[in-house]
Amino acid sequence: MKHTSHLSILKDIGLSETEALTYEVLLEEGPASAAKIAASTGVGRGIAYAALTTLQEKGLIIERKGERTRFAAADPERLRKLADALRKRIEAAIPGLRSMYRRPR
C-alpha cells in the first residue's frame, strides 16, 4: 500500500487502520467513489463504506451526492478537534485511574 505515511498518527488519534488509510487516499487522490476508494485501499466495498460512514461521523469527509456519490477529504485541520476530544477524555479519566493505582512495592 502506498498510502501509509501518516497512518500511525491518524491511528493514535482514534482512527481505525481502514479509516486512516481511506482518509489518506482521499487526501492524496481527491474525491472518489466508494468503489475507487475500495480499490485504492485494498479493502472490500462494504468495509470501505463502513470506514466512510465513521469518517463522515467524525467530520473528516464530505459526501457529494450526484449522479454518482463521491467522497472527499475534509480539511486536515479538523484532526485537531479529534485530538482535543481525545485529550479531554484522557484528562477526565485520570482521576479515576489514579484512584485505582497501586504503587509497586
Side-chain angles (χ1 to χ4, degrees), residues 1 25 34 40 53 86 95:
M1 290 182 229
V25 164
S40 293
T53 298
L86 178 59

Side-chain angles (χ1 to χ4, degrees), residues 7-90:
L7 287 184
S8 177
I9 191 70
L10 292 172
K11 288 168 41 178
D12 286 348
I13 61 170
L15 272 61
S16 71
E17 185 159 347
T18 304
E19 290 168 345
L21 188 55
T22 299
Y23 186 64
E24 273 205 359
V25 164
L26 289 171
L27 286 171
E28 292 177 0
E29 297 180 6
S33 67
K36 175 132 177 37
I37 293 164
S40 293
T41 59
V43 302
R45 238 169 50 181
I47 293 171
Y49 270 112
L52 290 165
T53 298
T54 56
L55 286 169
Q56 192 169 15
E57 290 167 357
K58 293 174 181 179
L60 294 177
I61 64 163
I62 301 158
E63 183 177 357
R64 296 180 176 165
K65 295 193 181 229
E67 186 176 310
R68 187 170 189 187
T69 300
R70 295 170 60 80
F71 301 89
D75 188 323
E77 189 65 34
R78 292 188 180 206
L79 293 169
R80 286 185 200 275
K81 186 176 181 179
L82 281 181
D84 289 343
L86 178 59
R87 188 175 11 265
K88 287 177 184 175
R89 287 177 50 211
I90 291 168

